[in-house]
Each structure stands twice: as C-alpha cells, then as structure tokens.
Amino acid sequence: MTAPQTIPAPRDGTYVLRGASLITMDERLGDFTGDILVAGGKIKDAAPRIDGGDAEVVAAADYLILPGLVDSHRHTWQSPIRHTGLDWDLPRMFVELFKRFGPNFRPEDVYAATLFGRLAALDAGVTTLLDWAHIQNSPAHADEAIRALREAGGRTIYAHGQPGIEPERWMKESTLPHPADIRRLRERTLSDDDALVTLAMAARGPEFTTIETTEHDLKLARELGLRITIHIGLGANGPKYRGVERMHQRKLLGPDVTFVHCCNCSDHEFHLMAETGTTACVSAQIASTCGGFGLPATGKLLSHGVRPGLSIDSEMSASGDLFSEMRAALNMERALTLNDLQSRPRAVSMTARDVLGLATVAGAHTVGLENRIGSISPGKSADLILIPRHALNLAPMGDPAAALVLGGHAGNVEAVIVEGRPVKWNGRMLDCDPRRTIALLERSREYLYAKAREYDRAAAS
Ligand SMILES: [Zn+2]
C-alpha cells in the first residue's frame, strides 16, 4: 500500500486528490471513484475525473475519502479524568465534576485539557467539534481554552457555559444569569463567525435554571447572535421539568437551539422540536454506560423528523472516537426497535449509512454549519478524512459505509484535512507534539487528583 505524498501547500493551496473512493454524503453525488479539487480551503469540484491544470496531484486511489466527522457536544475540559468515570451514575458524576474536580481547575488545567481533548478528537477524524465548556471559573479559563483550540487547529464551536463550581447555585433551579463574560468573548475574542474557532452559548436551560433565567439567557445569546446548546430530557429531569414544553410556551424554541440528549422527552416535546426546526444530538455511548441518563433518543427523534447529530459528551466514560459512537447509536437503536415485541413485525431500523449520515451531514446541521461542512459538495469547506481501502479491519470492501461503521476505528484515519490544510498525514499529527500535550495533561491530572483528595478529607471530617 502506498501512502499519499505529503501535500506541501497550506490552507490556500490548490491540489487534486486523485482516484479515491469518495463517500460524499451528498445525496446528489452519491458514492463514486474520482477526484476532489481543493482550492482556497474549499472543495471546488468532486467528479469522476478533474483536470486540475497545474495543481499538485495526490495519488489517492488506495483511499476512501469522506467528509470530516462532526461531534456536536463534547466537554474537552474533562480530559484529565478521561476513562475514569465508567462506574459513576448521573448523580455521582455531578459530584465528581462540580465538587471534587471542577472548582479546582486552574486556567492552565483548562488549557491542557482542551488542547489534549481537541487534538485527540482531530486525530480520530473529528474535524468539527462543539466544545461544551461549563468550566468558566474565571475569564482566564475561557481565554486559555480558546488559545488551546486555536493551537489545536480543528474547526471548533466554543460553547461558553457556567462555572464548574457550586452546582446548587448554578444548576438547581438557578436564578443566576449566564456569566456576563460571554459578551466580552463575543465582542473581542470570537466575533468572526467565519473563523475556525467560533462562539456559541452553552446555556443551562430549564432543567437547571428557572424558566425566567432560561428566557433571560437565551435573549442574551440571541442579542449576541449566538447559537444555543442545552442539555435536556436528562434522567428524571425530563418528566420533572418538561423543559421543551415550557420553552415552547415562551416561544424560545427554534433552529438556533440544539437540545443535547433528549432521552426522557415526551412525544409531544419531540413533535415541538420538529415543528420549530429545533436541532438535537444524542450520546449513545454515555447514555448506555452511565446509570440515570435514560435511553438514547435517536429513533424517537428520527421518527418525529428531527435528524440528530452524534456526540461523545464526556470521555470520562465513553470512547472519544465517533466510530465507537456510531456503533453504539446503531446498536442501541437496533436493540430497542428489533426487540419491541409490542409492534411486530419490525422492519430493519437504522442502517449503517443512516448512522454515518448522523456523524457527518446531520451533525453539520445540528451545529448550524450545514452550508459549510458535512458532505463532499462543491462550495463546502475542504474538511476531509482519508482512510486506507485495504486495512485488514475494513476488508473486504463491499458497502464502505457498513465497513466503516461496523469495522472502523480511529487508527484508520490516516489523514485529516481542515479547510484544505492537512493537519494529519501518513498517520501522524502535524504541528503537534504528542509528548508535550500528554505531559501537560498528566501534570494537570496529578494536581487535580491531589486537590480531589483534599476535598475527600474535608468532606470526611
Ligand atoms: Zn454533556
């Protein structure tokens, strides 16, 4: 197998990816063997044969190329406690996050966590990520996170949330408004919506604040021209607060809102989301491993006409790669529908192609970027991933969507391109020092665990 030659051109370079197996996720184009012309960071053309003139040619016949994956909700700040929360249920998770760990995060911890979390996602082919950042313990925390995201090089929507402290005040029928620092970030730091790192509001919403506070926060987001992402239908809070219904009563729903999880929303609430164009995302891995979330709402959303994006949520208790998330979403949905004995006979529910769509084009819609990313379509940004056709875990290559969803893993992502610029090539992240990044994370992790032990001692005495 020959690896493609290194593309020397930066983001405004012009080149042709030649002879690849294209999974465009563009309904008009479908799958075909052909070329992609990239220029000025954009996909200029995708066709069976393109004459690129003087453009550099990358021999890509050994590769599948598909649009970069989209994660529509992840908390990268939780990277220092990655893979340690598998046995925490939802109430315990809140204690760990907002009492044992969150209050002790320093700006440098947020920098280390965000840099590591974003780079690891990029390495796994997640070209676009919405970073749901409820660790705003000071303005410097946001500044350091944004610095890390810009350094990492992916496309990221930085969703500014509340501080990671005092959950009783901030997250229990709270009357505290969204931190005012979001205005500074909008006006001074992330005012350009065409940049790679952009801003959104990670609002607590009606399951964590009073409805008046939610209304106030959303008014602020809309005044600032920001999209809004809200956890909803989470565990017992879904039926307790009926947040979607109450937001609807105040005319707060709309296409600029994304609901995260939706596990325990009512059918009426799913209907309201569809009717108002409100978007949604699911986190099938964490919903199936963490007690108290409720079942992933993938099928319920789809059956009401809301096509959700996929999301990792937290690497505390989920794999950070979207191949695992696609499998979890597919498996959970199939388990639920194929075993629904009430309504036999069941047709096959979600297909591999469907779930690949959730991780790409539907994810783009969920984060409000469907005009720019999510498919290999002329005019969209050249956010692409290259996967070898001859990997042992993917062979034999019949239906590539099924091969990727059932057999794919992050290690298959051999190259990642963001806005035309290669950020990973020949299996190696470019402009990234993994040792430094991991060392920063481990130093931060040690500090945070020492502080958590102090918390434990104080709590025991
Ligand atoms: Zn979350």
Side-chain angles (χ1 to χ4, degrees):
M1 185 179 67
T2 25
Q5 298 132 32
T6 303
I7 298 168
R11 66 168 52 188
D12 59 353
T14 301
Y15 55 91
V16 177
L17 299 164
R18 175 84 76 209
S21 299
L22 305 181
I23 303 172
T24 66
M25 303 311 290
D26 179 327
E27 282 179 11
R28 291 160 305 172
L29 298 180
D31 294 355
F32 62 94
T33 300
D35 305 343
I36 301 174
L37 173 62
V38 175
K42 289 203 158 50
I43 297 164
K44 287 290 176 196
D45 199 3
R49 181 72 189 184
I50 296 172
D51 177 5
D54 295 337
E56 181 182 1
V57 173
V58 179
D62 285 329
Y63 289 86
L64 297 170
I65 303 185
L66 57 152
L69 304 176
V70 181
D71 180 348
S72 36
H73 141 248
R74 179 184 308 210
H75 311 288
T76 64
W77 69 269
Q78 293 163 11
S79 299
I81 47 172
R82 195 188 202 203
H83 305 155
T84 55
L86 185 58
D87 299 327
W88 302 341
D89 62 8
L90 195 56
R92 169 89 184 271
M93 194 183 277
F94 276 92
V95 172
E96 296 287 343
L97 289 176
F98 302 111
K99 292 191 169 183
R100 283 188 86 225
F101 288 105
N104 298 313
F105 267 71
R106 303 161 298 177
E108 59 259 50
D109 299 311
V110 174
Y111 172 81
T114 305
L115 181 66
F116 175 88
R118 187 63 191 97
L119 283 171
L122 201 54
D123 184 43
V126 178
T127 51
T128 296
L129 183 145
L130 183 139
D131 193 0
W132 218 106
H134 42 356
I135 190 67
Q136 306 302 334
N137 300 5
S138 80
H141 287 64
D143 291 341
E144 285 300 278
I146 294 164
R147 183 165 74 91
L149 293 174
R150 285 176 168 158
E151 198 178 316
R155 184 183 303 281
T156 311
I157 299 126
Y158 184 64
H160 178 273
Q162 78 273 18
I165 59 169
E166 300 180 285
E168 291 84 0
R169 290 181 69 227
W170 283 98
M171 299 178 76
K172 190 134 179 61
E173 296 174 16
S174 176
T175 55
L176 296 173
H178 191 92
D181 191 45
I182 195 168
R183 184 181 291 279
R184 173 187 70 92
L185 294 174
R186 181 55 165 162
E187 289 170 358
R188 297 197 207 153
T189 315
L190 296 175
S191 55
D192 180 3
D193 289 337
D194 293 327
L196 265 188
V197 181
T198 55
L199 185 65
M201 177 186 280
R204 292 157 295 166
E207 294 183 3
F208 299 97
T209 77
T210 63
I211 193 68
E212 290 77 19
T213 306
T214 292
E215 188 165 22
H216 169 276
D217 291 349
L218 266 62
K219 192 166 164 237
L220 173 63
R222 284 167 173 158
E223 180 205 322
L224 297 174
L226 299 175
R227 290 184 59 82
I228 300 142
T229 169
I230 294 175
H231 289 91
I232 211 116
L234 193 58
N237 279 352
K240 181 173 178 188
Y241 293 107
R242 285 284 167 247
V244 180
E245 273 182 30
R246 289 192 307 138
M247 283 179 65
H248 179 67
Q249 285 158 10
R250 298 202 173 215
K251 300 188 169 33
L252 297 176
L253 304 183
D256 60 344
V257 174
T258 300
F259 286 133
V260 173
H261 296 308
C262 311
C263 300
N264 292 334
C265 291
S266 67
D267 281 348
H268 179 53
E269 291 182 310
F270 289 121
H271 169 73
L272 292 174
M273 288 181 214
E275 196 179 64
T276 54
T278 303
T279 63
C281 65
V282 294
S283 307
Q285 287 185 92
I286 208 157
S288 57
T289 55
C290 177
F293 263 71
L295 294 166
T298 322
K300 286 186 177 175
L301 286 160
L302 285 168
S303 67
H304 284 86
V306 181
R307 214 171 163 214
L310 299 184
S311 68
I312 297 301
D313 190 352
S314 177
E315 290 185 89
M316 273 183 308
S317 45
S319 162
D321 83 85
L322 278 173
F323 296 94
S324 298
E325 188 61 34
M326 284 193 281
R327 269 191 290 279
L330 183 76
N331 294 351
M332 286 299 295
E333 193 48 38
R334 291 259 185 147
L336 288 167
T337 52
L338 301 180
N339 293 292
D340 179 1
L341 301 179
Q342 312 294 305
S343 45
R344 279 196 197 196
R346 302 296 304 181
V348 168
S349 55
M350 207 162 58
T351 66
R353 178 72 57 165
D354 291 337
V355 79
L356 191 59
L358 303 188
T360 52
V361 69
H365 172 70
T366 299
V367 298
L369 292 175
E370 64 267 48
N371 293 330
R372 212 180 301 174
I373 56 156
S375 63
I376 299 178
S377 310
K380 286 196 177 182
S381 179
D383 289 18
L384 305 166
I385 59 176
L386 276 71
I387 290 175
R389 280 170 45 77
H390 300 110
L392 287 172
N393 62 307
L394 300 176
M397 191 65 71
D399 172 5
L404 288 168
V405 171
L406 296 179
H409 58 68
N412 291 131
V413 179
E414 198 155 299
V416 179
I417 297 170
V418 178
E419 262 186 6
R421 190 174 72 90
V423 295
K424 180 180 184 182
W425 208 252
N426 293 327
R428 198 175 62 82
M429 292 290 284
L430 308 173
D431 306 323
C432 160
D433 179 351
R435 281 172 190 262
R436 169 187 172 254
T437 310
I438 293 169
L440 280 175
L441 185 75
E442 286 177 345
R443 206 177 313 150
S444 175
R445 178 183 163 89
E446 272 173 39
Y447 169 81
L448 291 165
Y449 267 84
K451 298 299 277 186
R453 285 190 291 273
E454 279 178 27
Y455 169 87
D456 294 341
R457 283 193 290 275
S461 63

mmCIF file of all heavy atoms in Angstrom, residues 73 75 132 134 231 260-261 313-314, ligand 1:
data_model
loop_
_atom_site.group_PDB
_atom_site.id
_atom_site.type_symbol
_atom_site.label_atom_id
_atom_site.label_comp_id
_atom_site.label_asym_id
_atom_site.label_seq_id
_atom_site.Cartn_x
_atom_site.Cartn_y
_atom_site.Cartn_z
ATOM 1 N N HIS A 73 -21.309 17.723 20.559
ATOM 2 C CA HIS A 73 -21.311 18.064 22.008
ATOM 3 C C HIS A 73 -20.272 17.216 22.726
ATOM 4 O O HIS A 73 -20.375 15.988 22.783
ATOM 5 C CB HIS A 73 -22.732 17.864 22.546
ATOM 6 C CG HIS A 73 -22.883 17.271 23.912
ATOM 7 N ND1 HIS A 73 -23.404 16.015 24.135
ATOM 8 C CD2 HIS A 73 -22.618 17.772 25.144
ATOM 9 C CE1 HIS A 73 -23.470 15.765 25.409
ATOM 10 N NE2 HIS A 73 -22.990 16.792 26.072
ATOM 11 N N HIS A 75 -17.297 17.670 26.185
ATOM 12 C CA HIS A 75 -16.703 18.528 27.217
ATOM 13 C C HIS A 75 -15.203 18.223 27.266
ATOM 14 O O HIS A 75 -14.770 17.367 28.038
ATOM 15 C CB HIS A 75 -17.344 18.257 28.575
ATOM 16 C CG HIS A 75 -18.854 18.250 28.549
ATOM 17 N ND1 HIS A 75 -19.587 19.407 28.399
ATOM 18 C CD2 HIS A 75 -19.755 17.247 28.634
ATOM 19 C CE1 HIS A 75 -20.885 19.100 28.413
ATOM 20 N NE2 HIS A 75 -21.016 17.800 28.544
ATOM 21 N N TRP A 132 -18.445 21.931 24.679
ATOM 22 C CA TRP A 132 -19.445 22.410 25.640
ATOM 23 C C TRP A 132 -18.709 22.705 26.951
ATOM 24 O O TRP A 132 -18.448 21.789 27.743
ATOM 25 C CB TRP A 132 -20.490 21.321 25.837
ATOM 26 C CG TRP A 132 -21.910 21.749 25.983
ATOM 27 C CD1 TRP A 132 -22.894 21.630 25.039
ATOM 28 C CD2 TRP A 132 -22.556 22.297 27.151
ATOM 29 N NE1 TRP A 132 -24.096 22.085 25.543
ATOM 30 C CE2 TRP A 132 -23.917 22.496 26.829
ATOM 31 C CE3 TRP A 132 -22.097 22.660 28.428
ATOM 32 C CZ2 TRP A 132 -24.832 23.022 27.735
ATOM 33 C CZ3 TRP A 132 -23.005 23.189 29.327
ATOM 34 C CH2 TRP A 132 -24.362 23.366 28.978
ATOM 35 N N HIS A 134 -18.521 24.086 30.383
ATOM 36 C CA HIS A 134 -19.066 24.611 31.643
ATOM 37 C C HIS A 134 -17.997 24.542 32.744
ATOM 38 O O HIS A 134 -18.153 23.862 33.743
ATOM 39 C CB HIS A 134 -20.387 23.965 32.057
ATOM 40 C CG HIS A 134 -20.501 22.472 31.894
ATOM 41 N ND1 HIS A 134 -19.539 21.692 31.333
ATOM 42 C CD2 HIS A 134 -21.516 21.637 32.237
ATOM 43 C CE1 HIS A 134 -19.946 20.434 31.344
ATOM 44 N NE2 HIS A 134 -21.135 20.374 31.885
ATOM 45 N N HIS A 231 -28.567 21.010 27.575
ATOM 46 C CA HIS A 231 -28.863 19.622 27.984
ATOM 47 C C HIS A 231 -30.350 19.527 28.336
ATOM 48 O O HIS A 231 -30.845 20.328 29.130
ATOM 49 C CB HIS A 231 -28.046 19.227 29.214
ATOM 50 C CG HIS A 231 -26.580 19.052 28.951
ATOM 51 N ND1 HIS A 231 -25.670 20.067 29.080
ATOM 52 C CD2 HIS A 231 -25.864 17.968 28.565
ATOM 53 C CE1 HIS A 231 -24.453 19.609 28.796
ATOM 54 N NE2 HIS A 231 -24.541 18.342 28.475
ATOM 55 N N VAL A 260 -29.390 18.662 23.729
ATOM 56 C CA VAL A 260 -28.450 17.562 23.918
ATOM 57 C C VAL A 260 -29.138 16.458 24.725
ATOM 58 O O VAL A 260 -29.762 16.749 25.747
ATOM 59 C CB VAL A 260 -27.222 18.078 24.693
ATOM 60 C CG1 VAL A 260 -26.305 16.933 25.064
ATOM 61 C CG2 VAL A 260 -26.488 19.146 23.905
ATOM 62 N N HIS A 261 -29.050 15.235 24.263
ATOM 63 C CA HIS A 261 -29.564 14.004 24.886
ATOM 64 C C HIS A 261 -31.038 13.732 24.559
ATOM 65 O O HIS A 261 -31.340 12.789 23.865
ATOM 66 C CB HIS A 261 -29.361 13.966 26.409
ATOM 67 C CG HIS A 261 -27.928 13.944 26.817
ATOM 68 N ND1 HIS A 261 -27.021 13.033 26.308
ATOM 69 C CD2 HIS A 261 -27.208 14.733 27.666
ATOM 70 C CE1 HIS A 261 -25.830 13.256 26.825
ATOM 71 N NE2 HIS A 261 -25.902 14.281 27.651
ATOM 72 N N ASP A 313 -20.056 13.544 24.366
ATOM 73 C CA ASP A 313 -20.375 14.069 25.695
ATOM 74 C C ASP A 313 -19.107 14.123 26.543
ATOM 75 O O ASP A 313 -18.460 15.153 26.616
ATOM 76 C CB ASP A 313 -21.475 13.241 26.366
ATOM 77 C CG ASP A 313 -22.011 13.899 27.630
ATOM 78 O OD1 ASP A 313 -21.429 14.917 28.056
ATOM 79 O OD2 ASP A 313 -22.996 13.401 28.192
ATOM 80 N N SER A 314 -18.749 13.010 27.178
ATOM 81 C CA SER A 314 -17.578 13.049 28.041
ATOM 82 C C SER A 314 -16.753 11.780 27.877
ATOM 83 O O SER A 314 -17.296 10.680 27.892
ATOM 84 C CB SER A 314 -17.987 13.183 29.500
ATOM 85 O OG SER A 314 -16.831 13.137 30.311
HETATM 86 ZN ZN ZN B 1 -22.906 16.940 28.183
#
